[in-house]
Amino acid sequence: RKEVEQDPGPFNVPEGATVAFNCTYSNSASQSFFWYRQDCRKEPKLLMSVYSSGNEDGRFTAQLNRASQYISLLIRDSKLSDSATYLCVVNGGGTSYGKLTFGQGTILTVHP
Amino acid sequence: GAGVSQSPSNKVTEKGKDVELRCDPISGHTALYWYRQSLGQGLEFLIYFQGNSAPDKSGLPSDRFSAERTGGSVSTLTIQRTQQEDSAVYLCASSSQGTAYNSPLHFGNGTRLTVT
């Protein structure tokens, strides 16, 4: 089993749609969770951290389910500018707490 | 302020040659990470440093790959006897704290390595 697995997509949605991505992780000792965004041929950038109680940043909502070992990202009212690859990131557990593992990414295309 | 700087931005080398990639992290950032990304693929973890030590180097693909960090700042990733499958974008990132505190990674623009 991969350390971090994501919905491969691609997702093609119209402007204004709501879209959700899921990500599962294998290490139950993981403590830190993030969503990054990567535009074509650019470096990844932090979108948001994921907190235990769930958190929201504008149109973006992140959730963590420790029991099932998955995190999710919900994007409401999609914009054309949301088109990108979304990367789930999880840290290692125990002595590998500093290791950050990226999922393969989910491609999102928002069309007019 | 200055971000993470990587050099060179592009490197074309012949199979069998050695290459050295450099990363200058953001000043004061204690954690430094190396990843590589092949075309159309996700980021593959290579190694990370906390200060000058590397707690986890499990992602280095083979003994042809090595990395070091000196003075808690600059890091170099060395690939010996390069092979065509080493062709990828090598990304460096730094972070101000351990990830237990949810501090984000700041990435450089990467070095695009092509082995011919």
Side-chain angles (χ1 to χ4, degrees):
Chain A
R1 183 183 174 185
K2 286 184 180 178
E3 291 179 70
V4 181
E5 290 197 75
Q6 285 187 247
D7 239 327
F11 286 73
N12 293 290
V13 302
E15 276 185 287
T18 295
V19 61
F21 308 136
N22 291 321
C23 168
T24 58
Y25 60 95
S26 62
N27 191 335
S28 60
S30 294
Q31 294 291 326
S32 299
F33 310 92
F34 311 88
W35 284 101
Y36 277 70
R37 169 195 169 128
Q38 186 174 26
D39 292 295
C40 190
R41 294 186 174 270
K42 298 284 190 180
E43 72 279 12
K45 292 187 177 176
L46 179 68
L47 178 64
M48 59 196 302
S49 301
V50 185
Y51 300 118
S52 297
S53 54
N55 48 300
E56 190 174 303
D57 183 1
R59 298 180 294 107
F60 300 85
T61 300
Q63 296 278 350
L64 167 64
N65 185 317
R66 287 190 186 275
S68 300
Q69 293 180 208
Y70 81 81
I71 65 175
S72 63
L73 177 68
L74 182 77
I75 305 175
R76 291 182 300 277
D77 189 23
S78 299
K79 312 290 185 192
L80 295 176
S81 56
D82 294 335
S83 297
T85 298
Y86 290 83
L87 301 162
C88 168
V89 185
V90 179
N91 83 313
T95 56
S96 291
Y97 76 91
K99 176 184 177 183
L100 290 174
T101 301
F102 282 70
Q104 289 296 100
T106 300
I107 298 172
L108 171 66
T109 302
V110 182
H111 57 82
Chain B
V4 177
S5 176
Q6 290 188 247
S7 60
S9 54
N10 278 286
K11 177 72 177 179
V12 180
T13 190
E14 290 180 356
K15 177 181 171 181
K17 296 285 175 93
D18 297 352
V19 295
E20 192 173 275
L21 312 181
R22 177 187 168 103
C23 174
D24 265 293
I26 292 173
S27 178
H29 278 195
T30 57
L32 185 148
Y33 295 76
W34 283 99
Y35 293 87
R36 75 175 176 183
Q37 188 171 33
S38 301
L39 191 62
Q41 302 297 310
L43 273 72
E44 177 187 3
F45 170 84
L46 297 179
I47 186 172
Y48 91 95
F49 292 89
Q50 193 64 243
N52 289 335
S53 63
D56 194 320
K57 52 180 79 171
S58 62
L60 295 177
S62 74
D63 58 8
R64 296 186 295 106
F65 287 71
S66 63
E68 65 174 14
R69 189 179 185 194
T70 54
S73 180
V74 172
S75 175
T76 54
L77 176 69
T78 302
I79 309 173
Q80 295 179 309
R81 305 181 302 283
T82 52
Q83 303 294 313
Q84 288 186 329
E85 61 262 29
D86 298 336
S87 297
V89 176
Y90 288 80
L91 289 162
C92 175
S94 69
S95 170
S96 59
Q97 296 173 324
T99 58
Y101 300 98
N102 283 328
S103 51
L105 292 178
H106 299 264
F107 281 87
N109 291 332
T111 293
R112 185 175 298 277
L113 175 66
T114 304
V115 182
T116 61

